[in-house]
Amino acid sequence: MAFNPRNRGPLRTLSVLIVLVLGLYGLLAAVSTWGEAQRTPKLGLDLEGGTQLILQPKIVGNQKINEGQILKAVDIIRQRVNGSGVSEAEVTTQGGSNIVISLPGSPDKATIASLQKSSQLRFRAVLVEGSAAPAPTPAPTATSTATPTGTATATPTATATAQATGTATTAPKSGFPQALRAATTPAPTATATPGATPTATPAVTATSPTTKPKDASDLAWITPDVEAAYTALDCANPQDVEAIVDDPAKPMVTCSTDGQAKYILGPAEVSGDQVSNAVSGQQSTQGGTTGIWEVRLNFNAAGTTAFGDVTSRLVSLAPPRNQFAIVLDNLVISAPRTLAALVAGNASITGSFTATSAKVLADQIKFGALPMSFQLQTRDDISPTLGGDQLQRGLLAGAIGLLLVMIYSLFQYRALGLVTLSSLVIAAAITYAIVTLFGWSIGFRLTMAGVTGLIVSIGITADSFIIYFERVRDEVRDGRALRAAVETGWVRARRTILISDAVNFLAAVVLYVLAASNVRGFAFTLMLTTVVDIVVVMLFTHPLLSILANTKFFGEGHKWSGLDPERLGARTVTYAGRGRVTIAAQRAAAAEGNQS
C-alpha cells in the first residue's frame, strides 16, 4: 500500500511518543543494571512490611527533655525519612520520650545512623590539631646516664622549634604539643631549702586558666584538664568517640570523622540554626566542575555577622589557629584554613563526600538539627498489614474495571473502542515505568492508597477518550467527512480535555499538600496519571485516529468502525439555490408531508 502523505504529521507525533517510551524504559534498564534501582515498583509498609526502629534520647549531664522537644524531633525525623511525602515511612512517639520509626523494606546502616544523629552543626575555632595515630614508643637510648639537665633542655627546645615551623618531627603527634604546653602552663616557682640546691618545680595543679579568655581562639581555654583529655583521647576507640561531649559554651576535645586527626577547639561561635539553606553539588570553576562534592551553606543575617566576625579574626592567626572546625554531631567533618574574611553570608563544606553523603548532610542541615541525639534501642522486622493477598485483590479490581471499560467501549464505539484499549495500554506502560523510576529517584513507594489512585485513573483516562470520540461523532453527524471531523473534533475536544485534567490535577495537588500519611500517596498517583493522560491523548490517541481516518475502513464509515454516518444519523447538506441549503432529513420530512 502506497504511503499516504497525510499521515506524515501524525507519524512524527507518534515517533515522539515512541522515543519517550523507549527513553523511560532505557533509563530504567540502565539504573537497574548499573545502579541500585529495581525493575518493579517499590512497595510500602502495608504491602511489603519493613523495619521498626525505636530510638531513645541520649541524655548529656543534667539535660532534661520535654514533650515539645520530642515532638520537634518527630517532625524533623519525618522530614528526613519522608521529605517528599511519598516514601510511606511512619514516625510516632512512645512513652513520651522514645520515637518509633517504621520504614518500608530493610534500611541500610547509613540510613539508621542518620536518624540517630542530632545533626547539630557548629563552627569552632581550632586551638590545637594533631595526628590521632598512637604515640610511638620512645627508642631506647645508648646509655642511661644522661643528665637530667641534658634531657630537660633538649626535648622542649626541639619540640618548640618543630611546632613553630609546623613539622612536629621530634615529638609524638598524638601527644599535647610542647610549645602550647609551655604557653599555657604557669611559670615554675622556685623553692629554697637550707643546705640544698634551689630547684624549679612546675605548678601543674591548676584546673582553670589564670586569665579569662578574651575570645574563642585564646589559648587560655586549654586548661590541664583539657590537655589531659586531648592526650588521653583515642580516636580509634569507639567508646572514646562516643563519650565526646559537645557543649557550645566550653572548649571541646574531639576527632575528625575519619579518625585521622584530633583537635582542641574553642567554644562554638556559629550554629546550624543560623544556616538558612544547604544544598549539595560539585564544586564549580570557570571552566566546569572539579569533581569534588561539597555542601554549600547560606547563612541568615545573624549567621552572616557571626561567621564574618570569626573569619576576620582567624585570618591573622598562625596555623593551626587560623582554621575553623565544622563540627557535626561531635566530630570534625572539615577544618579549612581561613584565607580571607568571609562576610558574604555563604560557605562551602568539603571533605570525603560522595553524591549520596553530600545530599544526606545537606538535607540534615536544611531540615534542622534535632534537639538531642538518639541511640537505637530496638530494631524489629514488621509484617505487612495488607500483604500480597490484598495487593492481588486490588490489582484484580483494577483489571475488572479495565475490562468493563473495554466492553463498554467496544459496545458503544465498535472498532473505535480498540483505540481506547491501545491508549490505556500505552498509559499503563508509561505509568509503570515512571512509578518504578520514582521509587529509585525520590523513594516513592506504592501503597494500597496509591494502587487505588491508579485504579481511579482508568476512569479519568477513559473520560478523555469519550470526550474526543463524541466530538468527532458530532462532526460526522453534521455532515463532515471523517478526516475533517477528526481535526475539527480535536480542536473542540482538546480544550475540554485540558480543563478537565487541570481540575483533577489541582484537586490532587490540594489533597497532597493538606493531607498526611497514605492519602498523599493516593494524591501523588492521581497527579501522575493525570499528566500521563494528557501525554497519551496528545501523542497517541489523536495522531492514531488521524491515521485511521485516512483508511478505507474508517474513512468510508464502515458499519463496524463506530463512525458510520448512517448509524450516527448524519445530516447531508445540499445547495437549494438562492443562497439556501437543505438537510436530507428536512427534505425527507417535507416529502412525507406533501404525500399526506
Side-chain angles (χ1 to χ4, degrees), residues 68-429:
Q69 291 175 317
I70 295 299
L71 293 178
K72 179 181 179 181
V74 168
D75 289 339
I76 294 173
I77 290 176
R78 184 178 289 119
Q79 290 182 74
R80 290 183 182 179
V81 300
N82 198 21
S84 62
V86 294
S87 296
E88 304 300 343
E90 298 178 1
V91 184
T92 57
T93 60
Q94 181 188 71
S97 60
N98 293 346
I99 295 180
V100 180
I101 306 172
S102 300
L103 300 173
S106 299
D108 54 20
K109 294 182 179 179
T111 300
I112 297 176
S114 67
L115 298 178
Q116 295 175 238
K117 295 179 180 179
S118 69
S119 289
Q120 238 356 307
L121 183 74
R122 294 191 174 102
F123 293 78
R124 293 174 176 262
V126 175
L127 302 179
V128 176
E129 178 183 15
S131 172
T137 303
T141 57
T143 62
S144 59
T145 59
T147 63
T149 304
T151 304
T153 57
T155 303
T157 302
T159 306
T161 304
Q163 291 296 329
T165 58
T167 57
T169 57
T170 60
K173 291 184 178 181
S174 59
F176 190 78
Q178 297 294 333
L180 289 176
R181 179 180 289 118
T184 57
T185 303
T189 59
T191 59
T193 302
T197 304
T199 59
T201 304
V204 295
T205 57
T207 58
S208 60
T210 56
T211 58
K212 184 177 180 180
K214 59 182 181 180
D215 55 47
S217 296
D218 197 330
L219 294 178
W221 289 107
I222 306 176
T223 65
D225 291 340
V226 173
E227 175 187 340
Y230 175 84
T231 304
L233 177 61
D234 182 4
C235 294
N237 186 346
Q239 294 181 347
D240 283 9
V241 175
E242 185 70 21
I244 294 174
V245 177
D246 184 2
D247 188 335
K250 297 179 180 179
M252 180 183 186
V253 177
T254 185
C255 303
S256 61
T257 53
D258 58 7
Q260 299 300 309
K262 60 181 180 179
Y263 302 86
I264 297 179
L265 309 176
E269 298 183 87
V270 183
S271 58
D273 58 3
Q274 294 174 318
V275 177
S276 60
N277 191 26
V279 295
S280 63
Q282 291 188 352
Q283 279 187 329
S284 58
T285 61
Q286 294 181 350
T289 59
T290 63
I292 299 175
W293 286 93
E294 66 175 353
V295 177
R296 294 183 288 273
L297 307 179
N298 292 322
F299 296 96
N300 58 21
T304 299
T305 301
F307 192 66
D309 293 342
V310 172
T311 53
S312 298
R313 184 186 73 242
L314 297 183
V315 71
S316 61
L317 299 178
R321 294 170 62 206
N322 64 343
Q323 300 172 230
F324 63 89
I326 304 172
V327 182
L328 180 71
D329 294 324
N330 300 347
L331 297 176
V332 176
I333 60 176
S334 182
R337 286 181 171 84
T338 306
L339 302 179
L342 305 177
V343 296
N346 52 64
S348 169
I349 302 176
T350 57
S352 301
F353 291 135
T354 62
T356 301
S357 62
K359 184 180 184 304
V360 168
L361 176 57
D363 288 344
Q364 288 173 339
I365 296 173
K366 178 169 59 178
F367 291 137
L370 295 175
M372 67 204 74
S373 294
F374 291 83
Q375 59 186 1
L376 182 62
Q377 187 180 59
T378 60
R379 173 177 176 170
D380 300 309
D381 294 332
I382 54 178
S383 59
T385 56
L386 295 176
D389 182 57
Q390 292 295 328
L391 177 61
Q392 290 177 1
R393 293 184 182 182
L395 295 178
L396 178 61
I400 293 174
L402 180 62
L403 179 62
L404 292 177
V405 169
M406 288 312 308
I407 293 175
Y408 171 79
S409 296
L410 293 175
F411 174 78
Q412 178 70 19
Y413 297 110
R414 308 287 178 96
L416 195 60
L418 297 176
V419 177
T420 302
L421 173 61
S422 56
S423 298
L424 288 173
V425 170
I426 295 296

